[in-house]
Short mmCIF file of all heavy atoms in Angstrom, two decimals:
data_model
loop_
_atom_site.label_atom_id
_atom_site.label_comp_id
_atom_site.label_asym_id
_atom_site.label_seq_id
_atom_site.Cartn_x
_atom_site.Cartn_y
_atom_site.Cartn_z
N ARG A 1 -14.45 -50.44 5.85
CA ARG A 1 -14.06 -49.57 4.88
C ARG A 1 -13.20 -48.41 5.47
O ARG A 1 -12.18 -48.02 4.81
CB ARG A 1 -15.22 -49.01 4.09
CG ARG A 1 -14.85 -47.93 3.17
CD ARG A 1 -15.67 -47.72 1.89
NE ARG A 1 -15.57 -46.52 1.17
CZ ARG A 1 -14.46 -45.96 0.63
NH1 ARG A 1 -13.35 -46.68 0.81
NH2 ARG A 1 -14.45 -44.93 0.03
N SER A 2 -13.65 -47.83 6.51
CA SER A 2 -12.94 -46.73 7.03
C SER A 2 -11.51 -47.14 7.49
O SER A 2 -10.54 -46.29 7.31
CB SER A 2 -13.71 -46.02 8.25
OG SER A 2 -13.83 -46.90 9.29
N THR A 3 -11.44 -48.23 8.06
CA THR A 3 -10.13 -48.78 8.54
C THR A 3 -9.20 -49.01 7.32
O THR A 3 -7.98 -48.63 7.30
CB THR A 3 -10.23 -50.05 9.24
OG1 THR A 3 -11.03 -49.85 10.38
CG2 THR A 3 -8.85 -50.68 9.74
N ASN A 4 -9.71 -49.55 6.29
CA ASN A 4 -8.97 -49.79 5.03
C ASN A 4 -8.47 -48.41 4.44
O ASN A 4 -7.38 -48.32 4.07
CB ASN A 4 -9.70 -50.53 3.97
CG ASN A 4 -10.00 -51.97 4.29
OD1 ASN A 4 -9.28 -52.45 5.20
ND2 ASN A 4 -10.96 -52.65 3.72
N LEU A 5 -9.32 -47.43 4.44
CA LEU A 5 -9.06 -46.10 3.86
C LEU A 5 -8.02 -45.53 4.73
O LEU A 5 -7.00 -44.86 4.23
CB LEU A 5 -10.27 -45.23 3.70
CG LEU A 5 -10.06 -43.94 3.08
CD1 LEU A 5 -9.46 -44.08 1.63
CD2 LEU A 5 -11.38 -43.11 2.98
N GLU A 6 -8.11 -45.58 6.00
CA GLU A 6 -7.19 -44.98 7.00
C GLU A 6 -5.76 -45.62 6.79
O GLU A 6 -4.75 -45.00 6.62
CB GLU A 6 -7.59 -45.24 8.48
CG GLU A 6 -6.64 -44.62 9.41
CD GLU A 6 -7.12 -44.83 10.85
OE1 GLU A 6 -8.40 -45.03 11.10
OE2 GLU A 6 -6.27 -44.99 11.72
N ASN A 7 -5.74 -47.01 6.53
CA ASN A 7 -4.46 -47.62 6.34
C ASN A 7 -3.84 -47.26 5.01
O ASN A 7 -2.63 -47.13 4.83
CB ASN A 7 -4.70 -49.11 6.43
CG ASN A 7 -4.90 -49.57 7.84
OD1 ASN A 7 -4.55 -48.94 8.83
ND2 ASN A 7 -5.53 -50.82 8.02
N PHE A 8 -4.72 -47.03 3.96
CA PHE A 8 -4.29 -46.63 2.72
C PHE A 8 -3.58 -45.26 2.75
O PHE A 8 -2.48 -45.07 2.23
CB PHE A 8 -5.43 -46.54 1.73
CG PHE A 8 -5.19 -46.03 0.37
CD1 PHE A 8 -4.33 -46.65 -0.51
CD2 PHE A 8 -5.81 -44.82 0.00
CE1 PHE A 8 -4.00 -46.13 -1.83
CE2 PHE A 8 -5.56 -44.31 -1.31
CZ PHE A 8 -4.64 -44.93 -2.18
N TYR A 9 -4.29 -44.37 3.51
CA TYR A 9 -3.60 -42.98 3.66
C TYR A 9 -2.37 -43.05 4.51
O TYR A 9 -1.47 -42.30 4.22
CB TYR A 9 -4.65 -42.11 4.32
CG TYR A 9 -5.84 -41.63 3.37
CD1 TYR A 9 -7.06 -41.26 3.98
CD2 TYR A 9 -5.66 -41.48 2.09
CE1 TYR A 9 -8.13 -40.92 3.16
CE2 TYR A 9 -6.68 -41.16 1.21
CZ TYR A 9 -7.91 -40.76 1.78
OH TYR A 9 -9.03 -40.35 1.02
N LYS A 10 -2.30 -43.84 5.41
CA LYS A 10 -1.07 -43.93 6.28
C LYS A 10 0.05 -44.41 5.39
O LYS A 10 1.20 -44.06 5.50
CB LYS A 10 -1.26 -44.97 7.51
CG LYS A 10 -2.02 -44.34 8.59
CD LYS A 10 -2.21 -45.30 9.63
CE LYS A 10 -3.01 -44.78 10.83
NZ LYS A 10 -3.23 -45.72 11.84
N ALA A 11 -0.22 -45.45 4.63
CA ALA A 11 0.78 -45.97 3.68
C ALA A 11 1.32 -44.88 2.63
O ALA A 11 2.47 -44.76 2.39
CB ALA A 11 0.26 -47.19 2.91
N CYS A 12 0.29 -44.23 2.17
CA CYS A 12 0.70 -43.09 1.20
C CYS A 12 1.57 -42.02 1.96
O CYS A 12 2.55 -41.62 1.30
CB CYS A 12 -0.64 -42.40 0.66
SG CYS A 12 -1.70 -43.46 -0.39
N ASP A 13 1.07 -41.62 3.03
CA ASP A 13 1.88 -40.69 3.79
C ASP A 13 3.27 -41.12 4.25
O ASP A 13 4.24 -40.33 4.10
CB ASP A 13 1.08 -40.23 5.08
CG ASP A 13 -0.15 -39.39 4.74
OD1 ASP A 13 -0.29 -38.93 3.60
OD2 ASP A 13 -1.06 -39.36 5.60
N ALA A 14 3.35 -42.37 4.61
CA ALA A 14 4.65 -42.93 4.99
C ALA A 14 5.56 -42.93 3.71
O ALA A 14 6.73 -42.61 3.90
CB ALA A 14 4.51 -44.31 5.54
N ALA A 15 5.07 -43.34 2.64
CA ALA A 15 5.90 -43.37 1.39
C ALA A 15 6.38 -42.02 0.99
O ALA A 15 7.48 -41.77 0.72
CB ALA A 15 5.17 -43.95 0.25
N LYS A 16 5.47 -41.06 1.05
CA LYS A 16 5.77 -39.63 0.74
C LYS A 16 6.79 -39.01 1.70
O LYS A 16 7.74 -38.32 1.35
CB LYS A 16 4.54 -38.72 0.71
CG LYS A 16 3.71 -38.87 -0.58
CD LYS A 16 2.64 -38.01 -0.63
CE LYS A 16 1.30 -38.52 0.12
NZ LYS A 16 0.16 -37.63 -0.30
N ALA A 17 6.70 -39.48 2.98
CA ALA A 17 7.61 -38.91 4.01
C ALA A 17 9.04 -39.46 3.80
O ALA A 17 10.09 -38.94 4.13
CB ALA A 17 7.14 -39.41 5.40
N ARG A 18 9.11 -40.66 3.12
CA ARG A 18 10.43 -41.26 2.67
C ARG A 18 10.93 -40.69 1.33
O ARG A 18 11.92 -41.23 0.87
CB ARG A 18 10.32 -42.75 2.77
CG ARG A 18 10.22 -43.28 4.15
CD ARG A 18 10.08 -44.77 4.22
NE ARG A 18 10.01 -45.36 5.55
CZ ARG A 18 8.88 -45.46 6.25
NH1 ARG A 18 7.78 -45.02 5.76
NH2 ARG A 18 8.97 -46.06 7.46
N GLY A 19 10.22 -39.80 0.73
CA GLY A 19 10.70 -39.31 -0.48
C GLY A 19 10.23 -39.98 -1.73
O GLY A 19 10.72 -39.83 -2.85
N VAL A 20 9.25 -40.95 -1.60
CA VAL A 20 8.81 -41.67 -2.65
C VAL A 20 7.83 -40.90 -3.43
O VAL A 20 6.98 -40.27 -2.87
CB VAL A 20 8.17 -43.08 -2.24
CG1 VAL A 20 7.53 -43.72 -3.37
CG2 VAL A 20 9.15 -43.87 -1.53
N THR A 21 8.00 -40.81 -4.72
CA THR A 21 6.98 -40.13 -5.59
C THR A 21 5.81 -41.09 -5.96
O THR A 21 6.13 -42.14 -6.43
CB THR A 21 7.71 -39.66 -6.95
OG1 THR A 21 8.77 -38.78 -6.53
CG2 THR A 21 6.71 -38.93 -7.92
N ILE A 22 4.63 -40.68 -5.66
CA ILE A 22 3.48 -41.55 -5.88
C ILE A 22 2.70 -41.06 -6.95
O ILE A 22 2.14 -39.79 -6.92
CB ILE A 22 2.63 -41.68 -4.65
CG1 ILE A 22 3.51 -42.20 -3.44
CG2 ILE A 22 1.50 -42.52 -4.88
CD1 ILE A 22 2.95 -42.20 -2.15
N PHE A 23 2.47 -41.78 -8.05
CA PHE A 23 1.58 -41.38 -9.12
C PHE A 23 0.38 -42.25 -8.88
O PHE A 23 0.50 -43.45 -8.57
CB PHE A 23 2.23 -41.81 -10.49
CG PHE A 23 3.36 -41.00 -10.99
CD1 PHE A 23 4.66 -41.43 -10.65
CD2 PHE A 23 3.12 -39.87 -11.64
CE1 PHE A 23 5.80 -40.66 -11.06
CE2 PHE A 23 4.17 -39.08 -12.10
CZ PHE A 23 5.50 -39.53 -11.78
N THR A 24 -0.86 -41.75 -8.99
CA THR A 24 -2.03 -42.42 -8.91
C THR A 24 -2.95 -42.26 -10.10
O THR A 24 -2.96 -41.20 -10.80
CB THR A 24 -2.84 -42.11 -7.70
OG1 THR A 24 -3.28 -40.74 -7.73
CG2 THR A 24 -2.01 -42.50 -6.40
N ILE A 25 -3.72 -43.33 -10.61
CA ILE A 25 -4.59 -43.29 -11.63
C ILE A 25 -5.98 -43.72 -11.13
O ILE A 25 -6.07 -44.81 -10.65
CB ILE A 25 -4.15 -44.10 -12.72
CG1 ILE A 25 -2.80 -43.87 -13.21
CG2 ILE A 25 -5.06 -44.17 -13.93
CD1 ILE A 25 -2.10 -44.84 -14.21
N ALA A 26 -6.98 -42.87 -11.36
CA ALA A 26 -8.33 -43.32 -11.03
C ALA A 26 -8.96 -43.62 -12.42
O ALA A 26 -9.43 -42.79 -13.07
CB ALA A 26 -9.07 -42.13 -10.34
N TYR A 27 -8.90 -44.99 -12.70
CA TYR A 27 -9.43 -45.42 -14.04
C TYR A 27 -10.89 -45.62 -13.88
O TYR A 27 -11.33 -46.60 -13.25
CB TYR A 27 -8.65 -46.66 -14.33
CG TYR A 27 -9.14 -47.19 -15.75
CD1 TYR A 27 -8.62 -46.61 -16.89
CD2 TYR A 27 -9.89 -48.28 -15.92
CE1 TYR A 27 -9.03 -46.94 -18.21
CE2 TYR A 27 -10.37 -48.71 -17.11
CZ TYR A 27 -9.90 -48.14 -18.29
OH TYR A 27 -10.21 -48.50 -19.47
N GLU A 28 -11.61 -44.79 -14.66
CA GLU A 28 -12.99 -44.86 -14.66
C GLU A 28 -13.65 -45.06 -13.29
O GLU A 28 -14.55 -45.86 -13.10
CB GLU A 28 -13.50 -45.90 -15.69
CG GLU A 28 -13.12 -45.60 -17.10
CD GLU A 28 -13.73 -46.43 -18.16
OE1 GLU A 28 -14.51 -47.48 -17.80
OE2 GLU A 28 -13.32 -46.17 -19.38
N ALA A 29 -13.05 -44.28 -12.38
CA ALA A 29 -13.41 -44.47 -10.93
C ALA A 29 -14.66 -43.49 -10.52
O ALA A 29 -14.63 -42.45 -11.24
CB ALA A 29 -12.29 -44.23 -10.03
N PRO A 30 -15.43 -43.91 -9.65
CA PRO A 30 -16.38 -42.98 -9.15
C PRO A 30 -15.75 -41.90 -8.39
O PRO A 30 -14.54 -41.89 -8.00
CB PRO A 30 -17.26 -43.80 -8.15
CG PRO A 30 -16.46 -44.95 -7.88
CD PRO A 30 -15.49 -45.20 -8.95
N PRO A 31 -16.50 -40.72 -8.25
CA PRO A 31 -15.82 -39.49 -7.71
C PRO A 31 -15.16 -39.71 -6.31
O PRO A 31 -14.15 -39.27 -6.09
CB PRO A 31 -17.11 -38.52 -7.63
CG PRO A 31 -18.00 -38.96 -8.60
CD PRO A 31 -17.83 -40.46 -8.68
N GLY A 32 -15.75 -40.50 -5.40
CA GLY A 32 -15.22 -40.81 -4.06
C GLY A 32 -13.88 -41.46 -4.21
O GLY A 32 -12.91 -41.09 -3.51
N ALA A 33 -13.77 -42.51 -5.05
CA ALA A 33 -12.55 -43.25 -5.17
C ALA A 33 -11.42 -42.27 -5.85
O ALA A 33 -10.27 -42.29 -5.51
CB ALA A 33 -12.70 -44.41 -6.14
N ALA A 34 -11.82 -41.47 -6.80
CA ALA A 34 -10.98 -40.54 -7.38
C ALA A 34 -10.37 -39.58 -6.45
O ALA A 34 -9.15 -39.27 -6.40
CB ALA A 34 -11.60 -39.79 -8.57
N ARG A 35 -11.23 -39.03 -5.57
CA ARG A 35 -10.67 -38.23 -4.40
C ARG A 35 -9.70 -38.96 -3.52
O ARG A 35 -8.71 -38.28 -3.11
CB ARG A 35 -11.83 -37.70 -3.57
CG ARG A 35 -12.59 -36.53 -4.03
CD ARG A 35 -13.55 -35.89 -2.97
NE ARG A 35 -14.50 -36.92 -2.51
CZ ARG A 35 -15.68 -37.23 -3.08
NH1 ARG A 35 -15.99 -36.68 -4.23
NH2 ARG A 35 -16.47 -38.16 -2.47
N GLU A 36 -9.86 -40.11 -3.30
CA GLU A 36 -9.02 -40.94 -2.43
C GLU A 36 -7.66 -41.11 -3.17
O GLU A 36 -6.51 -40.98 -2.58
CB GLU A 36 -9.54 -42.25 -2.09
CG GLU A 36 -10.79 -42.22 -1.16
CD GLU A 36 -11.61 -43.42 -1.21
OE1 GLU A 36 -11.28 -44.37 -1.78
OE2 GLU A 36 -12.75 -43.37 -0.48
N MET A 37 -7.73 -41.41 -4.37
CA MET A 37 -6.47 -41.58 -5.24
C MET A 37 -5.71 -40.24 -5.29
O MET A 37 -4.56 -40.14 -5.29
CB MET A 37 -6.77 -42.14 -6.61
CG MET A 37 -7.44 -43.45 -6.58
SD MET A 37 -6.40 -44.66 -5.69
CE MET A 37 -5.09 -44.93 -6.90
N ARG A 38 -6.50 -39.12 -5.62
CA ARG A 38 -5.98 -37.75 -5.63
C ARG A 38 -5.14 -37.51 -4.30
O ARG A 38 -4.07 -36.87 -4.27
CB ARG A 38 -6.94 -36.72 -5.94
CG ARG A 38 -6.40 -35.32 -5.94
CD ARG A 38 -7.55 -34.28 -6.33
NE ARG A 38 -7.69 -34.30 -7.70
CZ ARG A 38 -8.82 -34.67 -8.38
NH1 ARG A 38 -9.89 -35.07 -7.71
NH2 ARG A 38 -8.91 -34.59 -9.72
N ARG A 39 -5.78 -37.82 -3.17
CA ARG A 39 -5.25 -37.45 -1.94
C ARG A 39 -3.86 -38.27 -1.69
O ARG A 39 -2.92 -37.84 -1.00
CB ARG A 39 -6.26 -37.88 -0.79
CG ARG A 39 -5.73 -38.30 0.60
CD ARG A 39 -5.34 -37.02 1.40
NE ARG A 39 -5.03 -37.43 2.77
CZ ARG A 39 -3.97 -38.11 3.27
NH1 ARG A 39 -3.13 -38.60 2.29
NH2 ARG A 39 -3.85 -38.31 4.47
N CYS A 40 -3.76 -39.45 -2.18
CA CYS A 40 -2.53 -40.31 -2.05
C CYS A 40 -1.39 -39.81 -3.04
O CYS A 40 -0.29 -39.89 -2.60
CB CYS A 40 -2.91 -41.68 -2.39
SG CYS A 40 -1.36 -42.88 -2.14
N ALA A 41 -1.74 -39.25 -4.17
CA ALA A 41 -0.71 -38.80 -5.04
C ALA A 41 0.23 -37.82 -4.42
O ALA A 41 -0.15 -37.07 -3.45
CB ALA A 41 -1.27 -38.24 -6.35
N SER A 42 1.49 -37.83 -4.91
CA SER A 42 2.47 -36.78 -4.42
C SER A 42 2.04 -35.34 -4.59
O SER A 42 2.43 -34.54 -3.73
CB SER A 42 3.84 -37.07 -5.11
OG SER A 42 4.43 -38.26 -4.72
N SER A 43 1.32 -35.07 -5.68
CA SER A 43 0.89 -33.77 -5.84
C SER A 43 -0.34 -33.87 -6.83
O SER A 43 -0.64 -34.90 -7.36
CB SER A 43 1.98 -32.80 -6.36
OG SER A 43 2.14 -33.15 -7.81
N GLU A 44 -0.92 -32.72 -7.05
CA GLU A 44 -2.05 -32.80 -8.03
C GLU A 44 -1.48 -33.16 -9.42
O GLU A 44 -2.21 -33.92 -10.25
CB GLU A 44 -2.71 -31.34 -8.15
CG GLU A 44 -3.82 -31.23 -9.04
CD GLU A 44 -5.08 -32.01 -8.53
OE1 GLU A 44 -5.25 -32.26 -7.38
OE2 GLU A 44 -5.95 -32.50 -9.43
N ALA A 45 -0.31 -32.87 -9.73
CA ALA A 45 0.27 -33.26 -11.05
C ALA A 45 0.62 -34.75 -11.16
O ALA A 45 0.86 -35.18 -12.18
CB ALA A 45 1.65 -32.40 -11.30
N HIS A 46 0.57 -35.46 -9.99
CA HIS A 46 0.84 -36.82 -9.98
C HIS A 46 -0.42 -37.71 -9.94
O HIS A 46 -0.41 -38.87 -9.89
CB HIS A 46 1.71 -37.22 -8.83
CG HIS A 46 3.07 -36.61 -8.90
ND1 HIS A 46 3.39 -35.40 -8.34
CD2 HIS A 46 4.19 -37.13 -9.44
CE1 HIS A 46 4.71 -35.17 -8.56
NE2 HIS A 46 5.21 -36.16 -9.23
N PHE A 47 -1.55 -37.09 -10.04
CA PHE A 47 -2.86 -37.73 -10.12
C PHE A 47 -3.44 -37.67 -11.45
O PHE A 47 -3.42 -36.62 -12.10
CB PHE A 47 -3.87 -37.10 -9.12
CG PHE A 47 -5.19 -37.60 -9.35
CD1 PHE A 47 -5.67 -38.88 -8.90
CD2 PHE A 47 -6.12 -36.78 -9.99
CE1 PHE A 47 -6.94 -39.26 -9.11
CE2 PHE A 47 -7.42 -37.14 -10.11
CZ PHE A 47 -7.85 -38.46 -9.80
N PHE A 48 -4.01 -38.82 -11.92
CA PHE A 48 -4.60 -38.81 -13.34
C PHE A 48 -5.97 -39.35 -13.16
O PHE A 48 -6.16 -40.47 -12.67
CB PHE A 48 -3.69 -39.56 -14.26
CG PHE A 48 -2.32 -39.04 -14.48
CD1 PHE A 48 -1.34 -39.26 -13.59
CD2 PHE A 48 -2.12 -38.15 -15.54
CE1 PHE A 48 -0.04 -38.72 -13.76
CE2 PHE A 48 -0.84 -37.58 -15.67
CZ PHE A 48 0.14 -37.79 -14.84
N ASP A 49 -6.99 -38.79 -13.69
CA ASP A 49 -8.30 -39.30 -13.90
C ASP A 49 -8.49 -39.82 -15.28
O ASP A 49 -8.48 -39.07 -16.23
CB ASP A 49 -9.34 -38.16 -13.67
CG ASP A 49 -10.70 -38.68 -13.37
OD1 ASP A 49 -10.87 -39.83 -13.28
OD2 ASP A 49 -11.62 -37.81 -13.18
N ALA A 50 -8.42 -41.16 -15.38
CA ALA A 50 -8.28 -41.82 -16.76
C ALA A 50 -9.59 -42.53 -17.04
O ALA A 50 -10.44 -42.86 -16.29
CB ALA A 50 -7.17 -42.85 -16.74
N SER A 51 -9.71 -42.68 -18.39
CA SER A 51 -10.74 -43.50 -18.95
C SER A 51 -10.22 -44.23 -20.20
O SER A 51 -9.09 -43.99 -20.55
CB SER A 51 -11.97 -42.53 -19.51
OG SER A 51 -11.41 -41.74 -20.59
N ILE A 52 -11.07 -45.11 -20.76
CA ILE A 52 -10.51 -45.83 -21.90
C ILE A 52 -10.08 -44.94 -23.02
O ILE A 52 -9.23 -45.28 -23.77
CB ILE A 52 -11.70 -46.83 -22.33
CG1 ILE A 52 -11.04 -47.83 -23.33
CG2 ILE A 52 -12.79 -46.03 -23.03
CD1 ILE A 52 -11.83 -49.19 -23.43
N GLY A 53 -10.68 -43.67 -23.07
CA GLY A 53 -10.27 -42.83 -24.10
C GLY A 53 -9.00 -42.11 -24.00
O GLY A 53 -8.38 -41.57 -25.00
N ASN A 54 -8.40 -42.15 -22.76
CA ASN A 54 -7.09 -41.32 -22.54
C ASN A 54 -6.05 -42.10 -21.81
O ASN A 54 -5.05 -41.55 -21.46
CB ASN A 54 -7.42 -40.01 -21.82
CG ASN A 54 -7.80 -40.16 -20.31
OD1 ASN A 54 -8.11 -41.27 -19.85
ND2 ASN A 54 -7.76 -39.13 -19.63
N ILE A 55 -6.37 -43.40 -21.60
CA ILE A 55 -5.37 -44.16 -20.78
C ILE A 55 -3.92 -44.20 -21.40
O ILE A 55 -2.99 -44.13 -20.67
CB ILE A 55 -5.80 -45.59 -20.46
CG1 ILE A 55 -5.03 -46.23 -19.36
CG2 ILE A 55 -5.97 -46.49 -21.67
CD1 ILE A 55 -5.18 -45.66 -18.07
N LYS A 56 -3.77 -44.24 -22.70
CA LYS A 56 -2.52 -44.16 -23.27
C LYS A 56 -1.84 -43.01 -23.06
O LYS A 56 -0.60 -42.93 -22.74
CB LYS A 56 -2.61 -44.49 -24.87
CG LYS A 56 -2.93 -45.98 -25.15
CD LYS A 56 -3.02 -46.15 -26.62
CE LYS A 56 -3.43 -47.55 -27.04
NZ LYS A 56 -3.55 -47.76 -28.47
N GLU A 57 -2.44 -41.84 -23.10
CA GLU A 57 -1.87 -40.53 -22.85
C GLU A 57 -1.47 -40.43 -21.39
O GLU A 57 -0.42 -39.80 -21.05
CB GLU A 57 -2.83 -39.42 -23.23
CG GLU A 57 -3.10 -39.33 -24.67
CD GLU A 57 -4.17 -40.29 -25.35
OE1 GLU A 57 -4.86 -41.12 -24.53
OE2 GLU A 57 -4.36 -40.30 -26.49
N VAL A 58 -2.33 -40.94 -20.47
CA VAL A 58 -1.90 -40.93 -19.07
C VAL A 58 -0.66 -41.65 -18.75
O VAL A 58 0.19 -41.15 -18.17
CB VAL A 58 -3.05 -41.64 -18.25
CG1 VAL A 58 -2.63 -41.87 -16.78
CG2 VAL A 58 -4.31 -40.62 -18.22
N TYR A 59 -0.48 -42.79 -19.39
CA TYR A 59 0.71 -43.70 -19.23
C TYR A 59 1.99 -42.97 -19.89
O TYR A 59 2.95 -42.95 -19.28
CB TYR A 59 0.60 -45.07 -19.73
CG TYR A 59 -0.09 -45.97 -18.68
CD1 TYR A 59 -1.37 -46.41 -18.85
CD2 TYR A 59 0.59 -46.25 -17.50
CE1 TYR A 59 -2.00 -47.22 -17.91
CE2 TYR A 59 -0.04 -47.08 -16.51
CZ TYR A 59 -1.40 -47.58 -16.78
OH TYR A 59 -2.00 -48.32 -15.88
N ALA A 60 1.68 -42.35 -20.97
CA ALA A 60 2.75 -41.54 -21.57
C ALA A 60 3.21 -40.34 -20.77
O ALA A 60 4.43 -40.07 -20.66
CB ALA A 60 2.36 -41.14 -22.96
N ALA A 61 2.22 -39.64 -20.16
CA ALA A 61 2.53 -38.56 -19.29
C ALA A 61 3.39 -38.97 -18.08
O ALA A 61 4.29 -38.36 -17.60
CB ALA A 61 1.21 -37.81 -18.86
N ILE A 62 2.97 -40.05 -17.48
CA ILE A 62 3.67 -40.64 -16.33
C ILE A 62 5.07 -40.96 -16.73
O ILE A 62 6.14 -40.71 -16.06
CB ILE A 62 2.96 -41.80 -15.69
CG1 ILE A 62 1.59 -41.33 -15.08
CG2 ILE A 62 3.85 -42.48 -14.66
CD1 ILE A 62 0.76 -42.42 -14.58
N ALA A 63 5.29 -41.65 -17.74
CA ALA A 63 6.58 -42.10 -18.34
C ALA A 63 7.44 -40.83 -18.54
O ALA A 63 8.67 -40.84 -18.20
CB ALA A 63 6.46 -42.89 -19.53
N SER A 64 6.81 -39.79 -19.05
CA SER A 64 7.54 -38.56 -19.29
C SER A 64 8.01 -37.88 -18.04
O SER A 64 9.16 -37.46 -17.85
CB SER A 64 6.70 -37.55 -20.06
OG SER A 64 7.31 -36.31 -20.23
N LYS A 65 7.25 -37.99 -16.99
CA LYS A 65 7.51 -37.33 -15.65
C LYS A 65 8.68 -38.26 -15.10
O LYS A 65 9.60 -37.76 -14.45
CB LYS A 65 6.41 -37.31 -14.77
CG LYS A 65 5.34 -36.18 -15.25
CD LYS A 65 4.17 -36.24 -14.32
CE LYS A 65 3.13 -35.24 -14.73
NZ LYS A 65 3.27 -33.90 -14.24
N ILE A 66 8.59 -39.57 -15.11
CA ILE A 66 9.61 -40.40 -14.61
C ILE A 66 10.96 -40.17 -15.26
O ILE A 66 12.00 -40.05 -14.68
CB ILE A 66 9.16 -41.87 -14.66
CG1 ILE A 66 8.01 -42.19 -13.65
CG2 ILE A 66 10.35 -42.80 -14.47
CD1 ILE A 66 7.41 -43.45 -13.85
N ASN A 67 10.99 -40.03 -16.61
CA ASN A 67 12.19 -39.84 -17.34
C ASN A 67 12.77 -38.45 -16.89
O ASN A 67 14.01 -38.28 -16.78
CB ASN A 67 11.95 -39.90 -18.77
CG ASN A 67 11.83 -41.25 -19.33
OD1 ASN A 67 12.27 -42.18 -18.70
ND2 ASN A 67 11.09 -41.44 -20.37
N ALA A 68 11.87 -37.42 -16.71
CA ALA A 68 12.46 -36.17 -16.30
C ALA A 68 13.05 -36.29 -14.95
O ALA A 68 14.05 -35.65 -14.64
CB ALA A 68 11.31 -35.20 -16.22
N LEU A 69 12.48 -36.96 -14.02
CA LEU A 69 13.01 -37.16 -12.71
C LEU A 69 14.39 -37.81 -12.75
O LEU A 69 15.32 -37.44 -12.07
CB LEU A 69 12.14 -38.17 -11.86
CG LEU A 69 10.84 -37.45 -11.30
CD1 LEU A 69 10.00 -38.58 -10.69
CD2 LEU A 69 11.15 -36.37 -10.26
N ARG A 70 14.57 -38.75 -13.59
CA ARG A 70 15.85 -39.43 -13.83
C ARG A 70 16.92 -38.55 -14.30
O ARG A 70 18.04 -38.56 -13.86
CB ARG A 70 15.74 -40.70 -14.71
CG ARG A 70 14.93 -41.82 -14.10
CD ARG A 70 14.91 -42.98 -14.93
NE ARG A 70 14.17 -44.10 -14.36
CZ ARG A 70 13.63 -45.02 -15.12
NH1 ARG A 70 13.87 -45.03 -16.42
NH2 ARG A 70 12.86 -45.93 -14.52
N LEU A 71 16.59 -37.64 -15.22
CA LEU A 71 17.47 -36.73 -15.80
C LEU A 71 17.94 -35.66 -14.73
O LEU A 71 19.09 -35.25 -14.77
CB LEU A 71 16.87 -36.03 -17.02
CG LEU A 71 16.58 -36.75 -18.27
CD1 LEU A 71 15.84 -36.08 -19.25
CD2 LEU A 71 18.02 -37.43 -18.80
N ILE A 72 17.09 -35.33 -13.91
CA ILE A 72 17.29 -34.32 -12.82
C ILE A 72 18.16 -34.93 -11.76
O ILE A 72 19.10 -34.40 -11.15
CB ILE A 72 16.06 -33.61 -12.40
CG1 ILE A 72 15.43 -32.77 -13.50
CG2 ILE A 72 16.37 -32.72 -11.12
CD1 ILE A 72 14.11 -32.25 -13.18
N GLN A 73 17.69 -36.08 -11.30
CA GLN A 73 18.36 -36.73 -10.10
C GLN A 73 19.33 -37.53 -10.52
O GLN A 73 20.08 -38.28 -9.89
CB GLN A 73 17.23 -37.37 -9.24
CG GLN A 73 16.18 -36.43 -8.82
CD GLN A 73 15.06 -37.08 -8.01
OE1 GLN A 73 14.83 -38.27 -8.09
NE2 GLN A 73 14.30 -36.28 -7.41
#
């Protein structure tokens, strides 16, 4: 597990270093898994803690942020 988590973080860090924007969703995840996904996201604003009750809103928020990125860049 620790090797997998280390590799996950390395991949996240490498992508961010190349300017990739990373959105993560912890869908009904336990607290530990949610922390890992939060750590990988580009920022706190790119992390979403989702459940069946808000998953549509989460995807809408991500779509909105992606559209805003396209308009700016």
